[in-house]
Amino acid sequence: MGKLLKKSLSVPDETRPIAKGKVEVVKLDDFQVIRNTFEPGWRWSESIKPIAKTETCQVPHLLSLVSGRLAVRMEDGSTAEFGPGDVGVIPAGHDAWVVGDAPCVNLDFGGSKVYAKPAA
């Protein structure tokens, strides 16, 4: 039987600074949750690509948008835009960017162990 765990995103276990934003990580045994805060003008291909060293984001995301807007374009050309209250799965192979003049805050329950960490 597992144990009950509780932590707060207000006190992250790790903060990964990125250009035009930050990634806050809370570790819960085998799980991790991240809160991404992306400022207006943030774009994966400009802010994270130099860290990941891949042409597109290769991390899958299980995402819940808290505030702001986020657009995503997959390698196949398909697109989606997320707003407050939206949830979604974003597979590996995408670019993403903040839409509008408000910061985008989202919770990611997917690839948080490697997202915005330097490539090995």
Side-chain angles (χ1 to χ4, degrees):
M1 179 182 244
K3 62 183 173 184
L4 178 65
L5 297 171
K6 177 187 176 218
K7 289 191 173 182
S8 173
L9 283 165
S10 299
V11 186
D13 295 310
E14 179 184 356
T15 300
R16 302 173 191 160
I18 58 171
K20 296 184 182 175
K22 64 182 172 180
V23 175
E24 297 167 298
V25 182
V26 172
K27 300 173 184 177
L28 301 159
D29 282 346
D30 292 337
F31 301 99
Q32 292 189 7
V33 176
I34 59 178
R35 176 173 53 195
N36 295 305
T37 303
F38 303 141
E39 298 300 326
W42 177 90
R43 187 176 190 107
W44 183 91
S45 54
E46 296 169 3
S47 297
I48 308 293
K49 181 178 177 177
I51 298 168
K53 300 191 183 330
T54 57
E55 284 304 308
T56 58
C57 181
Q58 296 301 305
V59 175
H61 305 282
L62 174 58
L63 201 68
S64 174
L65 249 288
V66 176
S67 62
R69 300 200 69 77
L70 184 72
V72 178
R73 177 181 301 276
M74 299 300 301
E75 288 175 343
D76 69 5
S78 59
T79 62
E81 187 172 312
F82 295 85
D86 289 343
V87 296
V89 172
I90 304 171
H94 61 272
D95 192 7
W97 59 93
V98 171
V99 175
D101 296 328
C104 174
V105 177
N106 62 76
L107 301 177
D108 187 349
F109 302 90
S112 51
K113 288 184 180 180
V114 296
Y115 186 73
K117 288 186 100 169

